Amino acid sequence: MTCQQVQVQLSLYLYGELEFAEEEQIEEHLLGCAYCQQALAREKHWHANLKSEQLHPPHDLLIDCRRDLRTKLASAAKQTVLAKRPWWTTFHFSWGAQAAGIALLMMAGFSAGRLTGHADLSQAGFLGAPATRVRDVRPAPDGSVRIIIEQVRESEIAGNLNDPRVRKLVLAGAQEHFDPAVRVESVQVLQRDPAPEVLSTLASLARQDPNAAVRLKAVEGLRPHVAEEPIRATLTWVLQRDQNPAVRSEAIDALVSSGQNGITPEMVNMLRSVAQADDSDDYVRFRCFQILQEVNAPANTY
Amino acid sequence: MVNPGVQALDRVQSGSRADETALIRAAQAGDQEAFETLVRSYDQHVLRMAYNVLRSQEDARDIYQEAFLRVHRNLPNFRFDCSFSTWLYRIVGNLCLDQIRRRKVRREDASAAAAAEPERLQSIPERRADSDPQRQVMSAQVNTRVTEVLEQLSPRERVVFEMRHFQGMRLRAIGESLGVTEEAAKNCLFRATQKMRSALGDFV
């Protein structure tokens, strides 16, 4: 392939959208062409910068959208129920149904009183409608029905990370939530906060979270603090031990983000050993070689 | 070489297939809580996509509502012929395309009317992206420029670019969502990135 052919394809190459054979040809060309390597670095830089221009809708907008949708769906459901019900059932209730209704209301009131907690934080958002689940149904001796229901009231809370109570909740979301998507979103929010407990949490997540996307975001969040020794130690650990190549390549980028002054002899040795390790991913290896070239360090040890 | 960060996030976004299938079936049976959980799995990404494509809170809100109302209406007919995310992004992608085309027509009409009656006051649609607190930390100039350049793309190029670059969707999924072949989506993406690159250059 010529340099022009390679450079025209670099964007699709970075997206990972080329055929295997085309990728192979490009990589073969890149190994021997410093000019195209530089073009690739520029393209990658452009991609990353453009990605940083992604707009994030305000959280209030999401809350409003969810509330409006809920309202519309509730209204549509009501219309459907009324439309389906035969007209004569509007006015006729059996005694059994009445008794069941009374028991249901009593249990609902009892459960709501017991289960409704008080949030620690002042609630700036609106309270969502409670989700109701039937836990048990028992016939009573008098012919009525006793129904035990569980009601979970969802609350929406808005605040700033400056508020330690808000921070505590977001930290809990990042560490404890079973859904990795929620952990990812929590880590993304935490990326803006340089508080020591946040950095400590990000470092812990970068090492230990079972989900690669969460670890990736945690490493991203540590990047601005790479000058701090504990953070560098964490990123080094991730580069050497993480199973996921994307996370490792993010760790490399973070470690070298402070420029050539931050690339110590120890780091050069570490990059060499990663580049030469048999189990290193090709992209990770390529990135190590690229950095070693930039600092004029030979790729081989002596 | 693929940067697999996007793949890692794709895996997060798609979640466990089996769990999602159970959720969809429950929602099809009328379980509103299941439907709400399904919405919550995707709604942030849907809103972000609409917001980035259309660069307007109001339009993004409309797309969000219409997309999920359509999902709710048509969910009983969903037969698992494709993944739920493909089906959802088909709806969202087409809504975004329609909205971009409507806005272009409105602007053309507004310009034509202004040309015909230059003295009449016209409210020209706002072209600049809405401000929000996050944008205060970004260069307003860069964002405005990106918005202007995005407007120069065709509606399809804009949606494909948004889906690939910002949402991280694969071209095959984009093709399925927009009802085109993977090759057509690839050509569209290629044109979009070439135009963006030459218009933005080192501005970004």
Side-chain angles (χ1 to χ4, degrees):
Chain A
M1 276 183 134
T2 64
C3 288
Q4 191 188 8
Q5 285 171 322
V6 165
Q7 287 181 29
V8 156
Q9 301 272 54
L10 284 178
S11 206
L12 288 177
Y13 171 75
L14 283 174
Y15 284 130
E17 297 285 3
L18 294 178
E19 298 294 328
F20 183 80
E22 286 170 315
E23 270 193 17
E24 284 285 297
Q25 285 184 304
I26 286 177
E27 280 162 17
E28 208 175 301
H29 180 97
L30 282 170
L31 278 176
C33 178
Y35 181 63
C36 285
Q37 284 174 19
Q38 284 174 2
L40 176 64
R42 280 196 304 272
E43 192 73 22
K44 194 173 175 234
H45 183 73
W46 186 83
H47 270 233
N49 280 353
L50 193 59
K51 194 163 176 78
S52 71
E53 297 304 322
Q54 182 180 26
L55 297 179
H56 295 275
H59 196 63
D60 287 350
L61 178 61
L62 180 65
I63 292 172
D64 288 347
C65 285
R66 285 176 173 170
R67 179 175 51 215
D68 291 346
L69 180 66
R70 201 180 283 133
T71 305
K72 283 187 180 137
L73 290 176
S75 164
K78 212 181 273 182
Q79 297 289 333
T80 307
V81 165
L82 287 173
K84 282 184 178 169
R85 191 197 257 174
W87 65 269
W88 60 87
T89 61
T90 311
F91 305 107
H92 173 72
F93 292 103
S94 69
W95 286 112
Q98 282 188 6
I102 290 166
L104 181 65
L105 285 171
M106 284 175 63
M107 291 309 300
F110 176 71
S111 299
R114 283 191 61 191
L115 294 174
T116 302
H118 296 283
D120 287 336
L121 307 178
S122 58
Q123 296 173 21
F126 101 107
L127 295 177
T132 304
R133 197 178 269 122
V134 172
R135 283 192 47 205
D136 197 8
V137 176
R138 291 176 204 159
D142 61 358
S144 65
V145 171
R146 295 181 66 77
I147 303 164
I148 297 176
I149 60 171
E150 193 174 85
Q151 281 196 305
V152 175
R153 182 174 291 275
E154 204 176 79
S155 298
E156 289 180 358
I157 296 164
N160 286 317
L161 276 181
N162 294 335
D163 185 337
R165 298 168 298 179
V166 172
R167 186 188 294 141
K168 195 172 162 189
L169 282 177
V170 180
L171 283 168
Q175 292 172 293
E176 295 166 10
H177 204 281
F178 65 90
D179 184 349
V182 174
R183 299 204 302 277
V184 167
E185 291 291 344
S186 302
V187 170
Q188 263 182 303
V189 167
L190 289 170
Q191 282 177 350
R192 304 180 226 151
D193 190 341
E197 60 178 327
V198 171
L199 292 182
S200 169
T201 298
L202 291 179
S204 170
L205 290 169
R207 286 180 187 245
Q208 293 169 1
D209 192 282
N211 186 279
V214 177
R215 298 199 304 275
L216 185 83
K217 285 290 170 188
V219 167
E220 252 180 37
L222 292 173
R223 187 194 281 229
H225 309 281
V226 69
E228 298 170 35
E229 184 45 44
I231 304 299
R232 293 181 71 79
T234 295
L235 292 171
T236 304
W237 189 96
V238 169
L239 171 57
Q240 290 174 318
R241 306 246 171 83
D242 198 285
Q243 297 297 310
N244 186 288
V247 179
R248 295 173 82 193
S249 74
E250 186 64 36
I252 296 174
D253 289 346
L255 280 164
V256 303
S257 62
S258 55
Q260 293 204 4
N261 291 337
I263 303 179
T264 60
E266 291 77 25
M267 189 178 305
V268 167
N269 286 333
M270 194 246 313
L271 289 171
R272 275 195 198 119
S273 73
V274 170
Q276 289 165 3
D278 289 336
D279 59 349
S280 274
D281 175 77
D282 285 349
Y283 183 81
V284 171
R285 204 181 284 133
F286 169 72
R287 191 74 187 103
C288 291
F289 278 131
Q290 196 177 36
I291 293 163
L292 288 167
Q293 247 182 347
E294 283 168 10
V295 299
N296 294 322
N300 300 315
T301 51
Y302 293 101
Chain B
M1 177 62 59
V2 176
N3 186 334
V6 160
Q7 293 172 345
L9 288 175
D10 278 347
R11 280 196 290 279
V12 167
Q13 289 164 15
S14 64
S16 157
R17 259 319 138 82
D19 290 343
E20 187 174 87
T21 302
L23 211 54
I24 293 169
R25 292 211 187 278
Q28 285 175 324
D31 184 341
Q32 286 303 311
E33 200 182 308
F35 181 75
E36 193 162 327
T37 305
L38 197 56
V39 167
R40 292 280 175 115
S41 305
Y42 290 97
D43 69 346
Q44 289 184 65
H45 303 287
V46 165
L47 187 64
R48 192 183 310 143
M49 175 173 160
Y51 191 49
N52 275 278
V53 170
L54 300 165
R55 306 251 153 174
S56 153
Q57 284 194 31
E58 200 184 313
D59 286 347
R61 187 198 298 260
D62 290 345
I63 297 290
Y64 178 105
Q65 296 300 325
E66 186 55 32
F68 286 112
L69 285 174
R70 285 192 189 187
V71 166
H72 189 258
R73 254 196 319 272
N74 296 305
L75 195 60
N77 303 325
F78 179 66
R79 297 278 176 259
F80 298 93
D81 300 331
C82 60
S83 70
F84 179 79
S85 64
T86 297
W87 185 61
L88 171 62
Y89 280 106
R90 188 176 297 156
I91 294 173
V92 177
N94 285 323
L95 285 171
C96 287
L97 281 172
D98 290 344
Q99 184 62 4
I100 295 169
R101 286 166 184 148
R102 264 200 294 274
R103 274 181 9 186
K104 282 200 173 216
V105 168
R106 264 189 258 138
R107 274 198 210 106
E108 282 159 8
D109 287 348
S111 305
E117 300 182 20
E119 294 170 2
R120 187 174 146 202
L121 286 175
Q122 292 287 328
S123 62
I124 306 297
E126 178 59 59
R127 299 191 66 163
R128 288 168 61 124
D130 295 343
S131 61
D132 72 45
Q134 283 185 322
R135 292 196 55 221
Q136 289 172 5
V137 302
M138 298 182 192
S139 160
Q141 275 188 325
V142 172
N143 264 289
T144 303
R145 184 75 186 125
V146 169
T147 302
E148 285 171 358
V149 172
L150 282 173
E151 302 228 341
Q152 291 167 23
L153 302 182
S154 72
R156 190 159 272 164
E157 285 167 358
R158 190 161 165 177
V159 169
V160 168
F161 182 79
E162 163 63 29
M163 283 180 160
R164 188 62 193 88
H165 194 85
F166 292 126
Q167 300 297 316
M169 290 171 67
R170 306 296 299 181
L171 281 174
R172 177 181 289 183
I174 294 171
E176 283 174 3
S177 295
L178 297 179
V180 299
T181 62
E182 184 180 341
E183 191 62 28
K186 187 172 174 178
N187 291 335
C188 200
L189 176 67
F190 180 78
R191 285 195 310 272
T193 50
Q194 293 290 92
K195 285 183 189 176
M196 297 284 293
R197 197 74 173 89
S198 76
L200 285 170
D202 292 333
F203 203 87
V204 174

